[in-house]
Amino acid sequence: MHSEPKMELVWSEVNPSQSNMSAPQHQHPPGKVAPPGAGDFSYVGIDAILEQMRRKAMKRGFELNIMVVGQSGLGKSTLMNTLFKSNVSRKSVSSTPEERIPKTIEIKSISHDIEEKGVRMKLTVIDTPGFGDQINNENCWQPIMKFINDQYEQYLQEEINIDRKKRIPDSRVHCCIYFIPPTGHCLRPLDVEFMRHLSNVVNIVPVIAKADTLTLEERDSFKQTIREELRANGIDVYPQKEFDEDADDRMINEKIREMIPFAVVGSDQEYQVNGKRLLGRKTKWGTIEVENIAHCEFAYLRDLLIRTHMQNIKDITSSIHYEVYRVRRLNESNGQPNGQPPNGQANLQANPQDNPQANPQPQQANGLAAQHQVLTHEM
Amino acid sequence: MASSDVAQQLDNSARPLSLSGHVGFDSLPDQLVNKSTCQGFCFNILCIGETGIGKSTLMDTLFNTNFENCESSHFEPQVKLRAQTYDLQETNVRLRLTVVNTVGFGDQMNKHDSFQPVVGYIDRQYETYLQEELKIKRSLHNYHDSRLHACLYFISPSGHSLKSLDLVTMKKLDSKVNIIPVIAKADTISKSELHKFKIKIMSELVSNGVQIYQFPLDDETVAKVNTTMNGHLPFAVVGSTEEVLVGNKMVKARQYPWGVVQVENESHCDFVKLREMLICINMEDLREQTHTRHYELYRRCKLEEMGFKDTDPESKPVSLQETYEAKRTEFLQDLQRREEEMRQLFVQRVKEKESELKDAERELQGRFEQLKRLHAEERNVLEEKRRVLEEDQSSFNKRRAAAQLLQAQSLNVNGKKDKDRKNSGFM
């Protein structure tokens, strides 16, 4: 009917010197048709796509889903409030002011719209009250794992719809902050179990909570012990070694990996220190400044989570963790144990049947058996 | 349209909150842009137009490079598409540009299915993407997107109206790709003719229901520009890679004895407008429209064609997964049934053959027995005869022996008589 189009792949790397495409003399602000300057013929305008992309992203807004996990009383809500400089925790939202420790693990998620310098973000904080608080904490990680997988499932269902939404709402958990109590010794079995199970489905960022109870030496040795234990148990926390893309990435991430878990202190109260109002905790023996890196590592955590690696966290969630879940899920439902084609697609392929040539008749005298065989092949 | 989506999404059980200090997530767009810059961008343009109308020249002019295209012949038996990919870089932005040209469009005597190869090509790109998306182990982030983001349709500058080939082709393509019509070789039309020509073209497009790409108006920063530009469609363009000295600088232009047509002079042609719209302002929107509108439409049609539905007759939402599984079990059951049937058929035939064989065997056996009997009888008869013969023989032997004895005796007697005579004779 029609012939195949000839695909000629000509990879001609055309760099600026060769192609007369020079750097623009001035940035073209969006919306203004800036006339090409006097000598500026060679500017094509490809780099304007960055600006277009930024515009579209700002218009769309961003989404971020953070889960906090840890025993009650470790300061999870306070830390969230400190990170986002507003009352994002569930305590500020819930109507019942009294504290109660729930009998089973609950999963509570609260969403907020926040905006900064024109960038809008829908932040969802997922709290897990009741984690680690029961007497028998076996399988305490299960409800959390189920929640995370449910979010993946929801996204998957939406994605394989025929009539799908323009933008699939992303409720997948991007990052899970795990609070380690500041015992100063080592990780508890509960910690190891949780992180071992969940580090394969979500990005875990472990932090040492209430770090103001540890001196600097205690803190360092504690961190070292934790890092060794994580390594010994094969737990890969964010930033994962295997997802480093190139040498630059690795360099940056190695620095971070040497510092985790971050020893943090949270506070939403401001105090006067040296003439400035700072967030901190005031005690009789001094004031701990939250954002002072000599005091605690909150600033590092904030920079990692928000200012530098937020997009990376989201990317790893969507392109690695979610894909792993998707592969597993689609394989399950295709689920015959023998010989499925590796690309189980929507075109239904016939499986090769088991042998219909099974000869059920008993053998007779030799000469006649040979005739049986011949007939079988004929058929 | 997009804004209401966003608003709805953000309002969904989320309460607005004000920050009491600088958090720092305003760097998020930068992070996003950085990531995209590292990955690089890709953009695919389709140029449809008659041979010699200036498609390759326009591409060269637009991207300021020489794409090394050779002239095509006018004698192609069918319309073909030729795709070429280039890596371009400007400052720190890397672009993988694919330019697809039609070869031999409008040259055939019978043009009734000239659009087919084009539609086929576009659909094939969507199909590859769909296949990749449906795979179990997929790598969408490294995937080289070959779907066509923009289609420049070159209208030949007759000055009167669109050709029927143009209308038919554009009608077939408008739901599959973003069409931007351009008037090629616009230096052959005078200004007043151009104005009338443009109006005629647009009214013909509207009256035939062809939906060309409208520059988006939802973003306030560019809405004004886009509205103005929408009014200038289709763009009348002139392409040239040669440079001519005008005043005291070299400009891209075409030199005629009666003057010089400058490509980048807005009063001469709309080339600058095209470049602005296509590249500087709306490239991202073109890509987005391709993905969210045209590709989704293709996907929906394709999946529905294969029999998947989102809601089943009881109007319960059924997911693709469930439908697929249902179809699969149905198919497997059908397969099993057919296998059973075949097996039973086989068994039956085997039985038949076997009974036939048994009959044959029995018959053979019977005949064998019969033959054996005959043989035995004959043997007996022969035995009998032999015995008789032997008896005869033995009696004959006896008689012969007796006869010989007699003869011998008689000889003896005669011999004695002779001897006596002989003996008596001598005496």
Side-chain angles (χ1 to χ4, degrees), chain B residues 178-190:
Chain B
N178 302 314
I179 300 186
I180 302 177
V182 295
I183 302 175
K185 297 199 172 176
D187 48 350
T188 56
I189 314 184
S190 71

Side-chain angles (χ1 to χ4, degrees), chain B residues 240-290:
Chain B
S240 168
T241 43
E242 288 160 4
E243 295 197 344
V244 171
L245 189 67
V246 170
N248 56 347
K249 42 188 167 61
M250 298 293 281
V251 294
K252 287 201 283 261
R254 286 175 66 77
Q255 177 142 53
Y256 292 109
W258 49 89
V260 176
V261 179
Q262 294 163 35
V263 166
E264 279 168 338
N265 188 333
E266 294 217 43
S267 59
H268 288 196
C269 72
D270 293 333
F271 173 81
V272 174
K273 293 195 181 76
L274 175 67
R275 188 175 59 193
E276 274 295 318
M277 285 292 105
L278 186 63
I279 302 177
C280 304
I281 298 190
N282 295 310
M283 197 196 272
E284 185 59 27
D285 186 69
L286 283 165
R287 283 161 27 122
E288 195 179 304
Q289 290 286 335
T290 307

Side-chain angles (χ1 to χ4, degrees), chain A residues 236-277:
Chain A
D236 216 1
V237 297
Y238 185 81
Q240 293 95 337
K241 256 205 174 72
E242 49 180 336
F243 304 144
D244 283 340
E245 283 177 23
D246 51 26
D248 290 333
D249 248 8
R250 208 169 305 133
M251 210 168 56
I252 299 175
N253 289 343
E254 272 304 321
K255 289 212 189 78
I256 298 174
R257 281 191 277 265
E258 280 163 25
M259 285 202 285
I260 51 168
F262 295 113
V264 295
V265 175
S267 163
D268 43 10
Q269 301 237 314
E270 285 189 345
Y271 294 100
Q272 197 85 358
V273 177
N274 292 340
K276 288 187 291 190
R277 286 195 70 78

Side-chain angles (χ1 to χ4, degrees), chain A residues 20-55:
Chain A
N20 296 333
M21 282 203 288
S22 60
Q25 256 100 333
H26 47 273
Q27 256 308 356
H28 284 216
K32 280 209 281 197
V33 183
D40 200 4
F41 328 112
S42 36
Y43 175 59
V44 176
I46 293 180
D47 53 358
I49 196 173
L50 296 181
E51 196 50 46
Q52 300 169 27
M53 190 176 251
R54 187 191 305 263
R55 247 190 306 125

Side-chain angles (χ1 to χ4, degrees), chain B residues 108-119:
Chain B
Q108 291 79 32
M109 300 283 274
N110 185 356
K111 299 186 265 247
H112 76 281
D113 59 356
S114 289
F115 62 85
Q116 281 289 15
V118 183
V119 170

Side-chain angles (χ1 to χ4, degrees), chain A residues 78-247:
Chain A
T78 317
L79 186 70
M80 280 292 110
N81 288 349
T82 323
L83 259 181
F84 289 102
K85 296 252 170 44
S86 56
N87 288 333
V88 295
S89 70
R90 99 197 125 85
K91 297 228 178 100
S92 6
V93 179
S94 70
S95 44
T96 56
E98 73 263 14
E99 275 299 317
R100 63 173 182 92
I101 296 184
K103 293 240 171 7
T104 55
I105 303 176
E106 298 168 351
I107 310 235
K108 290 212 164 82
S109 100
I110 319 254
S111 298
H112 307 273
D113 282 336
I114 45 184
E115 188 197 318
E116 191 173 55
K117 296 211 178 112
V119 178
R120 281 172 316 158
M121 182 154 85
K122 181 181 182 204
L123 172 72
T124 305
V125 177
I126 303 155
D127 205 346
T128 54
F131 176 83
D133 289 334
Q134 277 82 43
I135 292 182
N136 182 358
N137 283 315
E138 270 181 14
N139 301 332
C140 57
W141 47 269
Q142 265 171 358
I144 297 177
M145 173 92 118
K146 179 170 181 316
F147 178 81
I148 294 177
N149 282 336
D150 281 346
Q151 305 314 305
Y152 288 146
E153 181 65 30
Q154 201 179 347
Y155 194 88
L156 179 66
Q157 287 304 325
E158 199 46 58
E159 195 186 36
I160 60 180
N161 251 347
I162 293 191
D163 211 349
R164 6 185 233 201
K165 301 200 182 108
K166 200 162 174 170
R167 271 199 79 200
I168 305 177
D170 191 358
S171 61
R172 302 174 290 192
V173 177
H174 297 129
C175 171
C176 171
I177 305 183
Y178 186 76
F179 286 71
I180 301 174
T183 59
H185 296 165
C186 61
L187 288 177
R188 302 164 302 159
L190 172 65
D191 304 330
V192 174
E193 270 307 295
F194 179 86
M195 284 199 271
R196 198 158 55 84
H197 281 109
L198 287 225
S199 60
N200 299 322
V201 295
V202 74
N203 299 318
I204 297 191
V205 177
V207 296
I208 301 177
K210 297 201 165 169
D212 46 346
T213 59
L214 295 170
T215 65
L216 288 182
E217 296 82 24
E218 287 169 354
R219 184 201 289 180
D220 282 337
S221 80
F222 189 29
K223 281 210 227 181
Q224 188 121 358
T225 320
I226 292 180
R227 278 200 292 271
E228 276 166 17
E229 287 203 7
L230 288 178
R231 221 190 333 262
N233 281 292
I235 301 174
D236 216 1
V237 297
Y238 185 81
Q240 293 95 337
K241 256 205 174 72
E242 49 180 336
F243 304 144
D244 283 340
E245 283 177 23
D246 51 26

